Amino acid sequence: MRVAFLTAPEGVEQVELTDPWEAVRASGGTPVLLSTASGKVQAFHHLDKADTFPVDELVGEADIETFDGLVLPGGVANPDALRQDAKAVAFVRDFFAAGKPVAAICHAPWTLVEADVVRGRTLTSYPSLRTDIRNAGGEWVDEEVKVCSGGPNVLITSRKPDDLPAFNEAFLAEFGRVSGDR
């Protein structure tokens, strides 16, 4: 199982990157860090700088066909930056068009809203995104994890870092099923 993790160069919530990353590794999969710029990604613990992580591939050069799933970690600044990058938005949109599963946590659905892929879908997020999701045609629910198969792909979403155990379990089950089909 090869999983893309897409983040902006700065602003990703560290635990929302590292916890799912380790879950992929523990399941025998290969996590790959994609970003909009080469070098390192600066993670945060809420508003405080945390660790940096080396970028494996640029999102504009990555081939979605080489991945079984996409994880979008949150952090307030991270998805805000991603939704302003045309290549990042196109990469996300292409995952949906290809029918590949996508998992997004906390503020990450902002990128999904920008990619115009939430229309007709049911998802959760950090509560402050509820109006944005509804305005984009999605149905927002307040649940620990929401798995929505009512579209071209499976979409797994969660609200916050406290939901990471359920989020990891849900996306690993789906991504593992997809990688087994390859």
Side-chain angles (χ1 to χ4, degrees):
M1 175 173 49
R2 191 164 187 259
V3 179
F5 282 75
L6 177 58
T7 73
E10 186 172 57
V12 66
E13 184 68 32
Q14 183 160 317
V15 71
E16 294 175 8
L17 171 63
T18 58
D19 198 76
W21 183 281
E22 288 305 317
V24 169
R25 290 183 61 174
S27 73
T30 303
V32 180
L33 184 58
L34 306 180
S35 190
T36 57
S38 60
K40 293 186 177 192
V41 166
Q42 175 65 62
F44 280 74
H45 292 299
H46 193 53
L47 299 175
D48 299 322
K49 282 188 176 181
D51 298 324
T52 60
F53 300 90
V55 173
D56 296 313
E57 294 182 35
L58 291 174
V59 69
E61 298 171 3
D63 179 1
I64 67 163
E65 294 306 318
T66 66
F67 297 103
D68 297 302
L70 170 63
V71 174
L72 297 170
V76 177
N78 176 51
D80 192 50
L82 287 177
R83 66 185 179 164
Q84 296 178 66
D85 186 282
K87 290 178 182 176
V89 172
F91 187 79
V92 170
R93 191 179 301 120
D94 289 348
F95 255 84
F96 281 75
K100 292 185 175 233
V102 173
I105 188 167
C106 203
H107 288 81
W110 265 339
T111 308
L112 303 177
V113 167
E114 187 64 33
D116 194 23
V117 294
V118 302
R119 188 173 320 283
R121 304 302 295 267
T122 302
L123 60 156
T124 193
S125 68
Y126 196 75
S128 64
L129 276 67
R130 133 181 87 238
T131 301
D132 297 321
I133 290 167
R134 288 178 181 153
N135 287 344
E139 179 184 344
W140 187 86
V141 294
D142 185 11
E143 297 177 14
E144 181 179 48
V145 66
K146 179 63 183 173
V147 178
C148 177
S149 56
N153 68 335
V154 174
L155 175 60
I156 302 105
T157 52
S158 280
R159 302 169 299 190
K160 57 190 174 187
D162 289 347
D163 299 337
L164 281 165
F167 178 69
N168 293 343
E169 181 180 342
F171 87 74
L172 285 174
E174 183 58 31
F175 290 11
R177 187 189 64 71
V178 170
S179 71
D181 292 344
R182 280 205 313 164

